[in-house]
Amino acid sequence: MRITAITQDQLIVIDGVPAFLGQMGGFAMRQGEWAIDYNTLTGLGHIEYTDNRPNQTINSAVFDAAYAWLIDEHTRYVAAIAEQEAAEEAARNEQQQDPIDTEFDSTGDGNHDVL
């Protein structure tokens, strides 16, 4: 799995699927990380910083200890969006199933004159 997190953009991308965490309160990396890029298949990645520190290479032990929570945050976002889309779809389906109010009188001839 390829994981990229960009603090300034409040974005976590896993295998090409973006999670815009700014829409759900955001996330913070508190050691000056500008971005994290990590590949679970190779067990290698790197950290880019907001200051002049050089990029730091990381391995699976570092990622697991300090950044595995990024996967959880991505999963939380994807699940929330799926839930929201399902609710919107259910609301659309409900609207389509509601009978249309036809203002026919009891005779069914469409004459709306009030006597």
Side-chain angles (χ1 to χ4, degrees):
M1 152 177 17
R2 174 90 185 265
I3 304 155
T4 303
I6 304 168
T7 306
Q8 183 177 4
D9 297 336
Q10 291 295 287
L11 174 66
I12 301 171
V13 181
I14 296 182
D15 291 338
V17 178
F20 302 98
L21 273 291
Q23 298 173 352
M24 295 178 60
F27 67 94
M29 290 191 275
R30 303 196 191 288
Q31 297 176 358
E33 301 95 330
W34 178 79
I36 304 287
D37 188 54
Y38 180 73
N39 186 325
T40 61
L41 297 177
T42 64
L44 296 173
H46 69 275
I47 302 170
E48 298 174 21
Y49 293 98
T50 57
D51 53 25
N52 4 343
R53 283 180 280 174
N55 292 354
Q56 177 186 351
T57 300
I58 60 172
N59 59 24
S60 59
V62 172
F63 181 84
D64 292 345
Y67 302 105
W69 60 269
L70 293 168
I71 297 169
D72 297 335
E73 287 298 296
H74 184 275
T75 301
R76 181 176 67 93
Y77 175 88
V78 170
I81 293 301
E83 185 177 311
Q84 177 183 354
E85 289 173 352
E88 290 169 358
E89 180 68 21
R92 281 192 297 273
N93 289 340
E94 187 175 310
Q95 285 178 342
Q96 290 175 354
Q97 292 175 2
D98 283 345
I100 298 174
D101 184 13
T102 60
E103 297 181 16
F104 286 108
D105 62 13
S106 62
T107 64
D109 66 2
N111 185 354
H112 301 288
D113 292 338
V114 177
L115 301 174

